Amino acid sequence: MTQPAPRASDLLVVGTVALDDVATPAGEAKAVLGGSATYFSVAASLFTRVGLVGVVGEDFPRPFRGLLAGRDIDLSGLETAPGKTFHWAGRYDGAMNSATTLVTDLNVLARFSPSLPASFRKTPFVFLANTAPSIQSSVLSQLGSPALVVCDTMNLWIDTARDGLLDVMHRVDGLLINDEEARSLAGVRNLVAAGKRLLTMGPKFVIVKKGEHGAFLFAKDRSFALPSYPLDDVRDPTGAGDSFAGGLMGALAASGRTTTNDVVRAMVYGTVTASFAVSTFSLDGLAKVTRSEVEARAEELRRFLSL
Amino acid sequence: MTQPAPRASDLLVVGTVALDDVATPAGEAKAVLGGSATYFSVAASLFTRVGLVGVVGEDFPRPFRGLLAGRDIDLSGLETAPGKTFHWAGRYDGAMNSATTLVTDLNVLARFSPSLPASFRKTPFVFLANTAPSIQSSVLSQLGSPALVVCDTMNLWIDTARDGLLDVMHRVDGLLINDEEARSLAGVRNLVAAGKRLLTMGPKFVIVKKGEHGAFLFAKDRSFALPSYPLDDVRDPTGAGDSFAGGLMGALAASGRTTTNDVVRAMVYGTVTASFAVSTFSLDGLAKVTRSEVEARAEELRRFLSL
């Protein structure tokens, strides 16, 4: 008897796996599991099987790998490279609306050039987490014809690799971006005007993340606003955006659907997974959540929003 | 033949009538019509007849009185006192999230002690716009048994007349308050926690206004979040909160209903009247809007929010 072939993933993420130091008004945590691909995969694996493409160093703790491997996450695209794992240290103050970055040690990430395993190249749903546009572009060139590709970005690339980013925006279906980045990339102060401007720059839809204020969606056929899940205790906002992306893309990949209204409904799941992520430091909360807890909170959010 | 008695108002507002100087990134306006009762009445009179209680000075321009008198607003409670009209000057910068007050000349407002016309004392819906808690309290004592009383407040009273404000909060049904004031009055940084705390301090519901980020409602039987109407050109945020209150209370008074779900549905109208108010300086925009334009935008907002 031969082994059954591992089940193919519906969803692929290319991003970072990190060791984070985080301090917030609620406490601090050192050398905890972080990174965009990590938060994304843990959130998305509540809905579907995820292929993770990223790199760690030889120091990457075995229990962290175990946490990922113990979920519906395919780690065959997670390289281990000589050197240390990407390290980020940051601090959130006051209302915790934005992080102050204290340390960014790229380490193994500095030479990361993702090569997708053959089994990943036909994945229908793809999320390009925040990395250099050149890396996002290289991944796009390795893909077959995915059903839906969404990318994230950050101010660093808007400022230093704008042309590359503009090129990527023409090759993806959706752009996920936070409010300040949206203003900066669009060159417009008003957020609605910024979102509409970004929609003319390539993607079929743009989701502007506003942290505790929720998210806007702009598409050709409709716009949409979703408040965040009302939390009365936020402990660590790290990974909120990537957990949102994971819930969004996980729900979409599980449904196999890609219309704007499907994206709108999937935003509820992104909001819910983000709400679990920010309730604890690192992935302590999100990694323990069950699918039925997600569904219960999604239903609660829908009731919360009902007119 | 006798004259028909003037139709009684469904809704009463006690607040300020002002002459404003306003500067925003979109331009500036001098000696324009402003004040909480003014914005409120103009918004609410789109829905029902409003009785306005306030005071102006002898300098109050006739065309401004004409603008109010030409609408469904009963001015029999608008006193003219010796002296000058209340004057406010302020500036909005950047994303226009909050005003910097440059001048506050109370003038005739300094000695304002409202005495309600007898015909106003049985009005079923009442809005106590932002004034000293002692004035709000005096108005409450002049009322019969209204169906719904909602009050607003501001940091000045939270800091200088806290006991009076706490007393008023126990005598009203609803509190309307902005996000920073909610945090300050509740003594809690997290806005959801602040809203829930305020709900234990007397009112049956608390609406926290978040400007461009919309509004939260907290009540015993449900919570609700409503994003603001997506505007890509905000010119002057002055009066946004009072226009919101006017649309909210106007819609409630017109319906005669007071359940939490009625308040939720009326928040759509508050959001819409506020959106018209901030699109122009002073009342230039709001005063020209028709009820059918309000309904069209309300329907657009409901579509915008639909999952």
Side-chain angles (χ1 to χ4, degrees), chain B residues 186-197:
Chain B
V188 183
R189 189 89 204 197
N190 177 289
L191 202 54
V192 174
K196 290 180 177 172
R197 177 82 56 91

Side-chain angles (χ1 to χ4, degrees), chain B residues 42-59:
Chain B
V42 171
S45 60
L46 282 157
F47 301 89
T48 195
R49 183 160 173 82
V50 192
L52 187 163
V53 174
V55 63
V56 294
E58 289 156 329
D59 61 343

